[in-house]
Amino acid sequence: MYDYLIVGGGFAGCVIAERIASQLGKKVLIIDRRNHIAGNAHDYYDNNGILIHKYGPHIFHTSSKKVWDYLSNFTEWIPYEHTVMAVVNGKKVPVPFNLNSIEQVFPKKIASKYQALLLEKYGYGLKIPILKLLENKQEDLKVIADFIYQNIFYGYTLKQWGLKPEELDFSVTSRVPVFISHDNRYFQDTYQGIPEKGYTELFNKLIKNKNIEVLLNTDYKINSSSIKFNKLIYTGPIDEYFDYKFGKLPYRSLHFDFKTFKKEWFQEVAQVNYPNDFDYTRITEFKHFHRQKTKATTVAFEFPQEFELGKNEPYYPIQNVSNNDLYNRYKKESEKLKNTIFVGRLAEYKYYNMDQIVGVALMKFDKEIAK
Ligand code: FAD
Ligand code: UDP
């Protein structure tokens, strides 16, 4: 008999398991239907000895000291600050689109004019969501806003979501604002890094406790009746838990095409985005994260796809008004259940980053489990 059954061995499930096992001394069983732990943060070494992020580039960044300190109990960090370039008219420009990007895409005089206008209107260091920038009435600001919208956001968003930026929740494109700055980093958080020995190793440390057992290749829907437990922590898709009784929540999926090249480097930064060309959105070259010295290099081309049950994985909740409304119906239903906690990107239908889900998991433990 387990005190807790935890469905899902990603950040949400494993952080809560660690807390319950270490702080309450209770018995936990984690099940995951995949053949590995770490959820979408899972990484592994390929045949060339390159550490691959199986589900796309995962860069840890947070401004929460609490989250950083907590995870630092289980890993050392390689300092790493993500830089991303987007190909615009054949040139690679920094993303988030910033004052340096302007210099790359416009002749000097025009670039200076746009830089001065943006600095005057917003001031150095400000971040403006593209949909906000587009609201400008001033003619020149409208021109630069339209340029950025068309060349950075429109094509990428259409590929990534099958929707235009304005058809998604404002928060989605706001993740990558226009940045009135010469800072080329993708994130400005206080703490940034990659686990020194990789994410999977971090997870191995998290769950190394005599009170935690793990069963892989084990689906909750198929196996729950044969497991004896008191309380449930569920981190899978919330619509699936309720057998889709209000309808399916839409998710976006991806296909990763991994290719190895017999050369030292493929591209100058870990991530290059292609908003305007090709069917893929971005190419990730994994060696950059750990600055590995190998003769070959492995990259992933990322092709967005519709999520189809049983065919591919539900990677992204698609945040817009109607989908969020549908989620809220499931949430209400979940609140009626005793001894069951829903937590995680899929269970809460939220576009969480890793640090956010660690923060939420720690908070749920404090407020709802340890209380
Ligand atoms: P998951 O990691 O999805 O874990 C849920 C687990 O539950 C899965 O392993 C699944 O197999 C299991 N499960 C589901 N249903 C069942 C069931 N019925 N039975 C058994 N097991 C089940 N975040 C960042 O901070 N930085 C990044 O750079 C970043 N890049 C990303 C890139 C991509 C392409 C994606 C998709 C996500 C990225 N993220 C990034 C987000 C990050 O992956 C998530 O925040 C984090 O993994 C969420 O953890 P979780 O535990 O909620 O969910
Ligand atoms: N985005 C874009 N062009 C870019 C980068 C991002 O249009 O070059 C938009 C796009 O809608 C994307 C969203 O901003 O889905 C969030 O980007 P982020 O890099 O945070 O996506 P993730 O890494 O989570 O896939």
Side-chain angles (χ1 to χ4, degrees), residues 216-262:
L216 299 174
N217 306 303
T218 305
D219 194 307
Y220 173 72
K221 283 282 169 196
I222 302 165
N223 299 280
S224 62
S225 56
S226 60
I227 302 169
K228 294 209 165 16
F229 60 93
N230 281 326
K231 293 181 181 170
L232 178 68
I233 314 276
Y234 182 85
T235 78
I238 189 165
D239 55 340
E240 180 182 323
Y241 180 91
F242 289 107
D243 297 317
Y244 312 100
K245 66 180 189 184
F246 301 130
K248 283 184 186 155
L249 276 167
Y251 299 90
R252 196 70 175 158
S253 192
L254 298 168
H255 166 72
F256 297 97
D257 195 1
F258 293 94
K259 285 209 163 72
T260 299
F261 295 89
K262 289 207 168 18

Side-chain angles (χ1 to χ4, degrees), residues 7-13 31-34 38-41 55-59 61 218-221 234-237 240 254 256 282 302 315-316 344-346 352-355 357:
V7 179
F11 267 111
I31 59 169
D32 202 300
R33 60 182 165 204
R34 293 175 174 171
N40 285 343
Y55 303 100
H58 275 71
I59 295 93
H61 57 101
T218 305
D219 194 307
Y220 173 72
K221 283 282 169 196
Y234 182 85
T235 78
E240 180 182 323
L254 298 168
F256 297 97
R282 56 187 179 187
E302 236 171 272
Y315 290 121
Y316 294 89
R345 181 153 148 145
L346 299 167
Y352 282 136
N353 291 328
M354 292 181 282
D355 66 318
I357 196 58

Side-chain angles (χ1 to χ4, degrees), residues 95 152-153 156-157 160-161 172-173 175-176 186 273 282 316 351:
V95 175
I152 301 289
F153 288 93
Y156 191 104
T157 303
Q160 171 70 13
W161 302 99
V172 175
T173 45
R175 288 167 61 90
V176 187
Y186 205 60
N273 290 358
R282 56 187 179 187
Y316 294 89
Y351 194 168

Side-chain angles (χ1 to χ4, degrees), residues 4-18:
Y4 286 87
L5 173 63
I6 298 190
V7 179
F11 267 111
C14 289
V15 166
I16 292 194
E18 187 282 327

